[in-house]
Amino acid sequence: MPKETKKSVISNSVIKRLPRYYRFIGALLRQGVVRISSEKLAEKMSLTASQIRQDLNCFGGFGQQGYGYNLEELKKAIGSILGVTGHCKTVLIGAGNLGKAIAAHMDFSEYGCELIGIFDSDEEKIGENVAGLEVMHISGAKSFFEKNKPQVAILCVPETSAQALADRLVLWGIQAFWNFTHYDITVSHKNVVVENVHLGDSLMMISYALSHSEENE
Amino acid sequence: MPKETKKSVISNSVIKRLPRYYRFIGALLRQGVVRISSEKLAEKMSLTASQIRQDLNCFGGFGQQGYGYNLEELKKAIGSILGVTGHCKTVLIGAGNLGKAIAAHMDFSEYGCELIGIFDSDEEKIGENVAGLEVMHISGAKSFFEKNKPQVAILCVPETSAQALADRLVLWGIQAFWNFTHYDITVSHKNVVVENVHLGDSLMMISYALSHSEENE
DNA sequence: TAGATTGTTAATCGATTAACAATC
DNA sequence: TAGATTGTTAATCGATTAACAATC
């Protein structure tokens, strides 16, 4: 029987690796693999066996000496650690190109979330159907929040409105942001969960890598 | 005069922080700030002054004792390090919801890239206008690549086609991937630049954080 | 039992922070 | 010149890797 929650504080480096484990384990299961040793998994993921064992042992002894790890068990365990079995009530703010694509593209339930409302300030977009939901005007957000108590806000608005909006959303009870804007929410709201998807930063890393690899050729 | 390229190998931790510096410096400039000390900047960015000085000194002495850093100079320096002045030729593969949104939403030139072609395998999408470009059929990609030599591929295809596609693209000369699929390109193509935008991973981090913060309340 | 492989402790490595002399 | 603040070296901290005894 695995002893859960061994360490009281898990380092951020470990946590950030969990979704990747979860993905690889899922893929292996789909291929019909039943068990795997830390060494074999390490090889597949380009990690060290040591790191895998250390990482997993932060949460409990999921393996068995001489056998390795049972993948089904492991997937369940990591899934429950990541909270994918939950359903955080989530709203999308900003139904532009990107917002719509996110709403339509993501299978929220697979990641422990549930999209329950979409808001925009543009009158033209109100009433549009996006991912099975009607876009609502932002002016109705406050009462919607009071009634439905969403915890997560997806921010897909222009940078100029992001700061003021984030302030209001926190006031209205939002506990976490999935932030697609350039605005750095963490700086002003220290006690709120923020996951930044700075697409521009990510793209710049590519131009950095390319401009510096050319030098070596 | 700043002495460029001081360290021969820059650690990844430093590089990943550069885009954030670049954003903050840009914002400060827009506010009319001319110079800043490492201490003040650290405060604004929730970092330590030490770290900022260490980071910047990997690339050269951009500051001046007793004065601090000139923001305009610094922005130019970091921009040129990041390669935003270049224009990596970029193609988008997959003109679904997400692909279209990325093409329309990103100002590629701001990040040192240039979108020169969009491909899809769905006959229905061919000819559609996305971000000023006509969607082309993937069957024409090879000759397009030979002629135009794109370096970067944005991958917005279903996971099932990602692996085979990545293999072909590498064969056709793609040097970097901006990867929006679940497939881990790095594992099979070690010498290619890969920047992953695993939106699912990012969303899971939110459900993790929320499910664990509730325990503390 | 013998072999395999974990869980865990100890050693190493790298990144961050602190301190301070150099200097604008 | 005196004050401010950098660039840089040294100290600390944390994360990764190696090693091995425990055990299935």
Side-chain angles (χ1 to χ4, degrees):
Chain A
M1 64 197 78
K3 352 144 201 175
E4 297 276 330
T5 52
K6 295 189 66 181
K7 274 197 184 173
S8 50
V9 170
I10 313 291
S11 87
N12 215 260
S13 327
V14 175
I15 295 164
K16 277 191 293 192
R17 279 192 292 270
L18 291 181
R20 189 156 180 266
Y21 286 124
Y22 193 70
R23 268 190 288 123
F24 271 83
I25 292 163
L28 286 166
L29 274 170
R30 265 177 272 128
Q31 284 164 40
V33 184
V34 173
R35 59 161 274 261
I36 200 164
S37 69
S38 56
E39 199 175 352
K40 285 272 170 58
L41 184 59
E43 202 183 303
K44 282 196 189 302
M45 297 184 64
S46 305
L47 296 172
T48 65
S50 240
Q51 182 164 59
I52 291 178
R53 295 205 297 277
Q54 285 275 27
D55 283 354
L56 298 181
N57 263 83
C58 294
F59 303 99
F62 301 128
Q64 197 169 89
Q65 280 98 331
Y67 173 86
Y69 296 87
N70 177 291
L71 283 168
E72 193 145 2
E73 255 181 41
L74 194 55
K75 186 172 185 233
K76 245 179 234 161
I78 296 180
S80 104
I81 292 160
L82 282 169
V84 297
T85 47
H87 41 87
C88 302
K89 281 185 272 183
T90 302
V91 292
L92 165 66
I93 319 283
N97 271 317
L98 190 62
K100 278 181 199 167
I102 297 295
H105 181 263
M106 297 297 296
D107 182 357
F108 287 90
S109 67
E110 201 182 317
Y111 307 108
C113 297
E114 187 193 357
L115 188 65
I116 62 165
I118 302 179
F119 296 90
D120 202 292
S121 61
D122 180 358
E123 292 287 353
E124 293 220 340
K125 297 209 180 81
I126 313 306
E128 252 184 70
N129 187 298
V130 174
L133 293 166
E134 259 192 22
V135 178
M136 294 176 270
H137 195 273
I138 187 74
S139 61
K142 197 185 173 194
S143 70
F144 180 93
F145 280 35
E146 276 162 7
K147 202 165 163 189
N148 299 286
K149 307 219 184 308
Q151 300 165 280
V152 184
I154 309 173
L155 232 55
C156 288
V157 298
E159 199 187 349
T160 41
S161 35
Q163 178 157 13
L165 183 61
D167 291 349
R168 271 188 296 161
L169 292 170
V170 169
L171 219 63
W172 295 344
I174 287 293
Q175 293 158 42
F177 286 94
W178 201 22
N179 180 33
F180 287 80
T181 76
H182 284 186
Y183 170 59
D184 245 273
I185 300 170
T186 326
V187 172
S188 33
H189 299 283
K190 307 259 179 205
N191 297 316
V192 157
V193 174
V194 179
E195 187 65 26
N196 291 305
V197 184
H198 289 308
L199 293 173
D201 289 15
S202 176
L203 190 52
M204 272 194 258
M205 294 299 287
I206 289 179
S207 62
Y208 172 86
L210 281 184
S211 60
H212 289 254
S213 73
E214 274 153 24
E215 281 165 21
N216 305 338
E217 282 165 37
Chain B
M1 61 195 80
K3 352 145 202 177
E4 298 275 329
T5 51
K6 296 190 65 180
K7 274 196 186 175
S8 50
V9 169
I10 314 291
S11 87
N12 215 261
S13 328
V14 175
I15 294 164
K16 278 191 293 194
R17 280 193 291 270
L18 290 181
R20 189 158 181 266
Y21 286 125
Y22 193 69
R23 267 190 288 122
F24 270 82
I25 292 163
L28 286 165
L29 274 171
R30 264 177 272 127
Q31 285 164 38
V33 183
V34 172
R35 59 161 276 260
I36 200 165
S37 69
S38 56
E39 197 175 355
K40 284 273 169 57
L41 185 58
E43 202 183 304
K44 281 196 190 300
M45 295 184 65
S46 303
L47 297 172
T48 66
S50 241
Q51 182 163 60
I52 292 178
R53 294 205 297 277
Q54 285 274 27
D55 283 354
L56 297 181
N57 264 83
C58 293
F59 303 99
F62 301 127
Q64 196 170 88
Q65 281 98 332
Y67 173 86
Y69 297 86
N70 177 290
L71 283 169
E72 192 145 2
E73 255 180 42
L74 195 54
K75 188 175 183 229
K76 245 179 234 161
I78 296 180
S80 103
I81 292 160
L82 283 169
V84 297
T85 46
H87 43 86
C88 301
K89 282 185 270 183
T90 303
V91 292
L92 166 66
I93 319 284
N97 272 317
L98 191 60
K100 278 181 199 167
I102 298 295
H105 181 262
M106 297 296 296
D107 182 356
F108 287 90
S109 66
E110 201 181 317
Y111 307 108
C113 296
E114 187 193 357
L115 188 65
I116 62 165
I118 303 180
F119 296 89
D120 202 293
S121 61
D122 181 358
E123 292 288 352
E124 292 221 340
K125 296 207 180 85
I126 314 306
E128 253 185 67
N129 187 297
V130 174
L133 293 166
E134 260 192 20
V135 178
M136 294 174 271
H137 195 273
I138 188 74
S139 61
K142 198 186 172 195
S143 69
F144 180 92
F145 279 37
E146 277 161 6
K147 201 165 164 190
N148 298 286
K149 308 221 181 308
Q151 302 165 279
V152 185
I154 309 173
L155 233 54
C156 288
V157 298
E159 198 185 353
T160 41
S161 35
Q163 179 156 12
L165 184 62
D167 291 350
R168 273 188 295 161
L169 292 170
V170 170
L171 219 61
W172 295 344
I174 286 294
Q175 293 159 43
F177 286 94
W178 201 21
N179 179 33
F180 287 80
T181 77
H182 283 186
Y183 170 60
D184 245 272
I185 300 171
T186 325
V187 172
S188 33
H189 299 283
K190 306 259 180 204
N191 297 316
V192 156
V193 174
V194 178
E195 187 66 27
N196 292 304
V197 184
H198 289 308
L199 293 173
D201 289 15
S202 175
L203 190 52
M204 272 195 257
M205 294 299 287
I206 289 178
S207 63
Y208 172 86
L210 280 184
S211 60
H212 289 253
S213 74
E214 273 151 25
E215 281 166 19
N216 306 337
E217 280 163 38

